């Protein structure tokens, strides 16, 4: 190694050492920066406070929302309870008024039976109406020699179109089968406050006085229609309770005309004008022709099933052969009745 090289090396080493010494103390001696650190701490603490406040606010908001929801829920529940109570009151009221009506009717009938003479005999709901029985409901008609009727329970409609109507048929509940035999249709069946057929024998006797037939119907949409015949009578059993109707008026269409001048048929008694057995096809007792333009004693179908069959409670003039009505009432009144 030459002297020059050694000298250079030592010089370089010295330079490096000097540099290292010069940097180290500078670092060690760097002054602290208290103002900057203090500011950051304050900001950090403020930020933390803001964050805390924000989460507190959020929590409060959530709590308020929950409280509000609870209040709304309670209000809905109260409203529901209120409505249930209201409907219970309404039900009780209607039961009460019904009982009241029955009591009133019974009192009136008791008074009537004491003062009754042959000249003001009670044949039907129309004669009750003219004697001031103006509440719709169940009545007992006494046996009558003129019409040849036994004592019968009837339902009187004292409101529709002037009142005085004796119901001969009703469909509204749907639990009573109308697919019955001759004898049952002859004597009547069902319950007078629900679904029933008054009986062909009773209808024959009641319509010995010139009568009007009124048919009221309701569909599953709550619409109502009616058909009225100012002439209505049926023959006696020997003549198969043959139907005679005339002079249609109404808004349901004339769907009984097709059945005019036909015999009554039931299950097991095919009196219709058809090769087919209409009563078993349409599952009711009726004045079947070949077979129907209406089938008011057909099968009661509920909403949803009411448009699937052709043996339902049909009135072709309104809803055609594939629509079973929700409610039907057939009622009669003497032609000479003055409301
Ligand atoms: Ca036949």
């Amino acid at each position: 190694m030459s002297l020059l090289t050694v000298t250079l090396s030592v010089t370089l080493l010295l330079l490096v050492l000097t540099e290292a010494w010069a940097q180290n103390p500078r670092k060690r001696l760097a002054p602290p920066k208290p103002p900057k650190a203090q500011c950051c701490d304050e900001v950090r603490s403020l930020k933390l406070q803001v964050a805390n406040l924000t989460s507190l606010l959020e929590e409060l908001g959530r709590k308020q929302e929950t409280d509000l929801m609870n209040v709304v829920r309670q209000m809905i529940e109260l409203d529901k309870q209120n409505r249930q109570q209201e409907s219970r009151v309404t039900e009780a009221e209607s039961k009460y008024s019904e009982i009241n009506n029955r009591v009133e009717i019974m009192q009136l009938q008791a008074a009537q039976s004491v003062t009754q003479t042959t000249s003001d005999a009670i044949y039907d709901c129309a004669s009750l109406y003219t004697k001031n029985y103006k509440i719709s409901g169940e009545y007992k008609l006494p046996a009558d020699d003129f019409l040849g009727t036994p004592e019968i329970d009837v339902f009187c409609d004292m409101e529709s179109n002037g009142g005085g109507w004796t119901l001969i048929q009703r469909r509204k509940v749907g639990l009573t089968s109308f697919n019955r035999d001759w004898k049952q249709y002859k004597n009547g069946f069902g319950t007078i406050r629900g679904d029933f057929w008054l009986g062909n024998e009773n209808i024959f006797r009641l319509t010995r006085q010139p009568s009007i037939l009124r048919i009221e119907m309701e569909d599953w949409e709550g619409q109502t229609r009616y058909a009225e015949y100012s002439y209505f009578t049926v023959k006696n059993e020997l003549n198969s309770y043959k139907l005679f109707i005339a002079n249609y008026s109404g808004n349901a269409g004339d769907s009984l005309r097709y059945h005019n001048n036909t015999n009554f048929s039931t299950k097991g008694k095919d009196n219709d004008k058809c090769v087919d057995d209409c009563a078993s096809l349409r599952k009711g007792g009726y004045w079947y022709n070949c077979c129907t333009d209406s089938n008011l004693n057909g099968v009661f179908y509920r909403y949803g099933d009411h448009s699937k069959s052709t043996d339902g409670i049909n009135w072709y003039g309104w809803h055609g052969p594939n629509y079973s009505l929700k409610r039907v009432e057939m009622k009669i009144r003497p032609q000479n009745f003055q409301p």
Side-chain angles (χ1 to χ4, degrees):
M1 208 185 285
S2 70
L3 184 67
L4 183 67
T5 317
V6 170
T7 317
L8 269 172
S9 297
V10 169
T11 316
L12 261 171
L13 187 65
L14 278 172
L15 267 169
V16 167
L17 283 171
T18 316
E19 181 73 8
W21 181 86
Q23 273 181 4
N24 251 357
R26 212 186 300 147
K27 255 188 195 167
R28 256 201 321 262
L29 295 174
K33 302 159 190 164
K36 198 180 171 191
Q38 198 184 336
C39 129
C40 288
D41 281 348
E42 274 170 12
V43 166
R44 224 173 286 139
S45 131
L46 276 172
K47 269 187 183 169
L48 199 66
Q49 281 179 34
V50 167
N52 280 344
L53 279 172
T54 310
S55 83
L56 200 68
L57 271 174
E58 272 172 11
E59 201 180 311
L60 271 173
R62 267 198 297 275
K63 198 171 175 296
Q64 265 187 341
E65 213 170 283
T66 324
D67 285 352
L68 189 68
M69 289 285 283
N70 279 339
V71 168
V72 169
R73 219 171 283 145
Q74 277 171 18
M75 276 170 69
I76 290 172
E77 185 58 32
L78 276 173
D79 186 49
K80 204 171 118 193
Q81 283 174 8
N82 196 21
R83 245 179 266 175
Q84 276 173 350
Q85 256 165 0
E86 250 172 49
S87 82
R88 259 184 232 133
V89 168
T90 314
E91 204 179 304
E93 273 174 356
S94 85
K95 271 202 186 126
Y96 176 76
S97 84
E98 197 177 301
I99 290 168
N100 240 1
N101 279 358
R102 293 181 86 164
V103 168
E104 208 168 315
I105 288 166
M106 277 159 67
Q107 284 172 342
L108 279 166
Q109 287 212 304
Q112 194 68 54
S113 63
V114 174
T115 57
Q116 196 181 328
T117 62
T118 43
S119 61
D120 56 11
I122 297 163
Y123 307 126
D124 54 14
C125 295
S127 40
L128 283 169
Y129 187 95
T130 56
K131 288 171 178 47
N132 256 336
Y133 297 92
K134 294 186 175 171
I135 308 158
S136 292
E138 198 178 337
Y139 288 84
K140 199 174 273 297
L141 297 180
D144 186 78
D145 292 337
F146 169 66
L147 292 176
T149 47
E151 181 179 275
I152 43 174
D153 288 322
V154 291
F155 193 95
C156 297
D157 175 354
M158 302 305 204
E159 288 143 46
S160 296
N161 197 26
W165 300 99
T166 307
L167 267 70
I168 60 168
Q169 185 254 29
R170 189 199 280 121
R171 311 297 301 274
K172 69 169 185 183
V173 182
L175 298 176
T176 304
S177 168
F178 275 60
N179 194 7
R180 309 256 185 162
D181 64 19
W182 184 262
K183 201 172 164 208
Q184 286 174 302
Y185 267 100
K186 176 185 175 180
N187 298 320
F189 56 83
T191 47
I192 216 74
R193 305 189 78 82
D195 295 8
F196 69 92
W197 181 254
L198 190 64
N200 288 335
E201 200 57 31
N202 291 327
I203 298 169
F204 154 65
R205 292 180 191 281
L206 285 168
T207 59
R208 283 172 76 186
Q209 47 183 343
S211 299
I212 301 171
L213 170 69
R214 182 179 171 89
I215 303 167
E216 290 169 358
M217 301 163 237
E218 185 184 339
D219 68 13
W220 290 95
E221 284 70 45
Q223 303 276 313
T224 55
R225 295 278 192 283
Y226 77 97
E228 218 173 274
Y229 297 86
S230 68
Y231 180 81
F232 168 65
T233 190
V234 299
K235 289 208 155 193
N236 62 12
E237 188 179 16
L238 277 174
N239 292 290
S240 301
Y241 301 115
K242 188 182 262 196
L243 171 73
F244 293 102
I245 44 121
N247 303 331
Y248 161 84
S249 64
N251 56 11
D254 183 0
S255 293
L256 204 56
R257 179 203 292 261
Y258 179 66
H259 301 265
N260 187 28
N261 204 20
T262 60
N263 297 324
F264 202 87
S265 292
T266 64
K267 182 164 77 175
K269 195 117 183 166
D270 180 356
N271 291 326
D272 60 38
K273 296 177 178 172
C274 214
V275 180
D276 293 323
D277 179 355
C278 293
S280 65
L281 282 175
R282 298 290 189 261
K283 300 193 181 75
Y286 205 55
W287 302 278
Y288 289 115
N289 188 326
C290 187
C291 284
T292 46
D293 200 32
S294 60
N295 191 33
L296 299 180
N297 290 335
V299 180
F300 185 98
Y301 287 104
R302 300 205 172 273
Y303 181 73
D305 291 326
H306 67 289
S307 55
K308 289 176 186 163
S309 308
T310 53
D311 53 13
I313 305 169
N314 307 316
W315 189 266
Y316 289 20
W318 185 16
H319 276 298
N322 291 93
Y323 189 107
S324 186
L325 297 166
K326 183 188 176 191
R327 187 184 168 101
V328 174
E329 281 181 1
M330 298 174 75
K331 46 196 81 173
I332 57 172
R333 185 168 80 183
Q335 284 172 0
N336 61 9
F337 175 77
Q338 301 286 330

